[in-house]
Amino acid sequence: MRIALLARAHLGTMAVLFVLALSACLLVAGLPRAMQASFDEALRRSLVSAPAVQADLTVSVESRSSEEDLHERGQFDARDRRWRQILPPALRPLATGAGHMSAKTTSTPVTGTSGHTHMNLGWLSDADRRVDWVQGRAPGKPSTMRYEGATIPVFEVGIVADALPELGFEVGQTKMVGENDYAALKIVGAFKAKDPRDRYWSHNVDILQVVKAQTPGSDELEKRITTLIPDAGLTALSGEGRNLSYHWILPIDARAASALAAPDLQAAVAEFGRVAALQSTASPYHLDTGLSKLLGDFLAEVATAQTVTYLVLGGLLAVALGVIALVVLLLGNRLDQPLSLARARGGSLRQVAGAGALLTGVAVLPAALAGYGLSFLVPGPVLPIVHLGPLVVVVAAVGFAGARLALTHRTPLHERRDDVSAGRPSARRVTLEVLVVVLALVGAYLLRARGASQDPFLLLVPVGLTLAAALITLRCYPYPLRLFVRLAARGRAAVPFLGLTRAARARSAGVLPVLILLPALGVSVFAAVISGGIADTQRLASWQQVGAPIKVTSNVEIPAASIDRIRATPGVEQVVIAQTGRVQVGYGAERAEALAVDVAQWRRILDGAPISVPPLSDGALVSPELRGRGTFEIGWQSRVKLATRGVVESVPSFFTQGKFMVVPLGVLTRPAPNTLLIKGDVSPDVLARLVPSATVETQERALSAIQDDPLTSTVRWTLLVVTVALGSYALVAVVLALVIGAAERASAVSFLRTLGLSDRQAQRLTVLEILPMILVTALVGLGLGLGLPFALGAGVDLSSYAGGLPVGDYSLDLLVPALLAGGLTTVAVLGAYAHTAISRRRNLGAVLRVGDLS
């Protein structure tokens, strides 16, 4: 057959097929690339935002004897080269940066402080590039001295300048450390970090600041500081008499990280730890890193994102293929006469089916290549689906065209009876359909019962529910229409009866749009509901993180003058002072976190917010761990007896677990506020200048931080794109449903026009024939989309994208469903009127053949 001639004759249909195939291939190939690019960005941001001590690889070993001591830099360098040699291939691209090495002692008490002050010794391989000496000088070679009848080493050390006043030390002092094996530490200089915000200091926070810890069984704090010694100090540093460990840090370059390689990285980290341990001689080498946990947490978040996005992308692909099938069906209908003629003249079934498939391929194949090529404009790695998606579209379109024509023209001069609307389904088919519905319901129940999980079962359940809804709709669709037909038959008007009768007797071509509209509406509404649920939970999480529109916290008391200045700042509406602290419960060693605040004022600040706190005028609100105590006593500035007035699971912005309580501010003898809860429109920078020692948090910033996460943005962006695409495909399906039945509808209207049917009646007839299918499918699709989030239940854990809170409160927002349903109805009505207007201009002789009226 002459394919070019057929293509020119049906150019409009071919163009529609080309556009639909192009859009489908671009979406199915481009969206996964964009998603994967965002996954890579999320992984990199996760590694960069995590402290370096967690993300980097640190090989450590303890020295327990003089034979295991390392006294020269060359010994450290040799081992550093060894660690890089044994790095697994998957880790090498990430560990190419220059690292550093260190030697540190731990738990080295200052003599005479009863273990409350510790001065440890530390050597950094690149200290000269990391610090500036602001007092005294850099330390030099160690020496010796006599102490209690023994010769002990004297280390020249440097100490961070901020620690001097906190510890009560001065440059030039000599401190004795140790309890048995003594050493003297002579403070010869004080330093400051060149860049204290550098990730490097995450590994050496003990050098840059005083580390404080609660002494067990006491209210006193232990203070620990690690001092710096030079390369020469290694000669006298030994693990024989003190706790000494050596460290080799291999920094991770997040720019080389890839989400696709994350599982291999996890395995590589474990392998590196195993191989490093094999290098041990006396004391074992061990790998210290939080990289495996970071990767594990990331993979868990990605698994959820992939489940949600691939679920909606799968629905998008299915709907796109369905719409393409409708166009192929339309093309086949228009090819019916020439192909029937060719078949009657001796053409083989292979030639007829091949001609239709080839004509479809002429439109689909270039569109697939164009969509595939355009997808490479989308940044991101090339996944297998990028290649397979367009291929699936081409094979499905061409295969459907060939198979349908082969079935239609399997016998020459095929005839179709117009007086039979549908055949009775066989018992086998009914049994199969019932089985599909039962399995879908059982699958949904099992999914809710077992909770969150990431496996193919999670993807099959929504597909099964959609298929079950479509089957039920197809089977039940004619019955309510037949009831309306009976009611219409009792009236005198013929148009309602004829229109509803034709709708109830719709053929498979008229019912096929149901299979496209239902998943299109279901998945698009599901995506809109999920997106709305994430947005609402994100807002709730931001309020729970901050606890007020603005929160100001300080490690020390906020002066009353600063509070007055904040109250007088333009834009500030209300300021609530609060104090947090750790209190003694009873007279024993039990401790609990406490918050003293005027709860009534706090509740006024939270008016209209999605969070609240119970009212409290006296007594205390306690955590579940402190429930059942009735009246109890606490020690906080003074001894206070409090009655339990309620139990709270958490306190927004302050406590989420453990032992805690909320008490009125009046229980304090002299409130020393360290927290301010502020309502108003004021810049956080202004508040930060008014209270330099404080940290300022806002609910808006917290919400922005949650929303700006790459994974969160990807999920919401993908849901938005899919919603728009599915809505567009649904509209196209409605238009195609009108076009596919246009010829048969025109013939019927033409018959009725010979009997006196007016143009207005013809319009009403067309609307009544089309609208029931649209409305029923729209209602079922909307119900399916609104019910899918609840049907899936805990099977989809979206807490990673909502600030850690579970997304379960899917509020019934009918805006998007109403827009979709309204759009479909409008298109159907407009299409009916357009069809009637076109049919009116046709000559009856061009529609009715000789003998049609006999």
Side-chain angles (χ1 to χ4, degrees), residues 421-704:
S421 59
R424 184 179 299 275
S426 64
R428 181 181 301 176
R429 181 175 177 179
V430 172
T431 303
L432 181 61
E433 292 176 354
V434 171
L435 180 62
V436 170
V437 174
V438 172
L439 289 178
L441 295 176
V442 172
Y445 171 77
L446 293 177
L447 187 62
R448 289 186 59 86
R450 71 172 186 170
S453 180
Q454 309 297 332
D455 54 34
F457 183 69
L458 184 59
L459 299 177
L460 293 176
V461 170
V463 175
L465 289 174
T466 304
L467 182 59
L471 291 175
I472 293 175
T473 303
L474 290 176
R475 286 289 166 234
C476 300
Y477 166 74
Y479 297 108
L481 287 182
R482 291 175 184 174
L483 176 62
F484 285 108
V485 168
R486 290 185 179 181
L487 294 176
R490 298 179 180 180
R492 298 181 61 184
V495 171
F497 173 75
L498 293 174
L500 293 176
T501 300
R502 287 183 57 79
R505 294 182 178 181
R507 298 183 181 277
S508 59
V511 177
L512 185 59
V514 173
L515 300 177
I516 290 51
L517 288 176
L518 196 144
L521 286 170
V523 176
S524 60
V525 173
F526 167 74
V529 171
I530 289 291
S531 182
I534 292 176
D536 293 341
T537 310
Q538 286 175 340
R539 181 170 178 268
L540 174 62
S542 66
W543 276 98
Q544 289 195 353
Q545 288 180 12
V546 182
I550 305 173
K551 178 184 176 184
V552 178
T553 56
S554 175
N555 293 327
V556 296
E557 179 182 354
I558 301 176
S562 298
I563 298 176
D564 292 338
R565 286 195 296 270
I566 290 176
R567 284 196 171 103
T569 301
V572 174
E573 300 177 16
Q574 187 176 355
V575 178
V576 177
I577 64 174
Q579 181 176 344
T580 59
R582 190 170 179 82
V583 300
Q584 181 185 24
V585 182
Y587 290 90
E590 186 178 14
R591 298 289 190 272
E593 300 295 331
L595 168 66
V597 65
D598 188 329
V599 176
Q601 292 186 18
W602 190 12
R603 285 170 58 86
R604 283 195 290 273
I605 281 183
L606 296 178
D607 185 29
I611 61 171
S612 183
V613 290
L616 178 70
S617 57
D618 63 343
L621 300 173
V622 301
S623 64
E625 286 82 351
L626 295 175
R627 76 167 74 214
R629 304 199 181 195
T631 300
F632 59 96
E633 189 170 336
I634 66 170
W636 194 10
Q637 294 185 353
S638 63
R639 306 298 301 184
V640 181
K641 288 187 177 180
L642 299 169
T644 301
R645 299 303 184 192
V647 178
V648 289
E649 298 291 335
S650 63
V651 180
S653 181
F654 291 97
F655 315 120
T656 58
Q657 59 183 358
K659 297 179 180 180
F660 59 83
M661 65 183 70
V662 180
V663 300
L665 190 64
V667 306
L668 298 178
T669 306
R670 189 195 72 83
N674 55 13
T675 303
L676 302 178
L677 304 173
I678 302 172
K679 180 180 181 180
D681 184 12
V682 59
S683 170
D685 297 333
V686 173
L687 298 176
R689 287 195 295 268
L690 294 175
V691 190
S693 63
T695 301
V696 181
E697 303 172 80
T698 69
Q699 180 267 332
E700 291 182 354
R701 284 185 177 179
L703 179 60
S704 178

Side-chain angles (χ1 to χ4, degrees), residues 14-15 46 63 82 110 136 174 198 203 272 274 289 351 464 482 486 510 523 530 617 630 655 661 752 785 807 834:
M14 297 283 287
S46 175
S63 176
R82 180 57 181 163
V110 176
T174 299
D198 195 313
H203 294 280
F272 182 51
R274 185 188 68 83
T289 181
Q351 289 176 321
R482 291 175 184 174
R486 290 185 179 181
V523 176
I530 289 291
S617 57
F655 315 120
M661 65 183 70
L752 294 173
V807 182

Side-chain angles (χ1 to χ4, degrees), residues 218-241:
S218 173
D219 291 334
E220 296 188 42
L221 292 176
E222 283 186 2
K223 297 181 178 181
R224 301 171 181 263
I225 191 67
T226 300
T227 59
L228 280 181
I229 62 173
D231 291 0
L234 290 174
T235 59
L237 190 62
S238 175
E240 189 168 7

Side-chain angles (χ1 to χ4, degrees), residues 34-116:
M35 287 166 43
Q36 196 61 44
S38 68
F39 294 162
D40 292 344
E41 175 61 25
L43 176 58
R44 292 162 189 156
R45 185 178 296 188
S46 175
L47 295 178
V48 170
S49 61
V53 70
Q54 294 184 21
D56 295 343
L57 304 173
T58 302
V59 180
S60 303
V61 66
E62 296 180 0
S63 176
R64 298 171 181 169
S65 64
S66 57
E67 290 79 10
E68 299 177 71
D69 292 338
L70 304 179
H71 295 301
E72 297 178 357
R73 176 186 285 269
Q75 295 174 296
F76 284 89
D77 292 336
R79 286 164 174 77
D80 181 70
R81 289 191 295 270
R82 180 57 181 163
W83 305 139
R84 296 181 182 276
Q85 288 174 356
I86 64 175
L87 270 176
L91 278 174
R92 288 177 184 172
L94 276 70
T96 57
H100 71 280
M101 301 161 287
S102 65
K104 295 180 182 179
T105 64
T106 56
S107 301
T108 310
V110 176
T111 306
T113 62
S114 301
H116 291 144

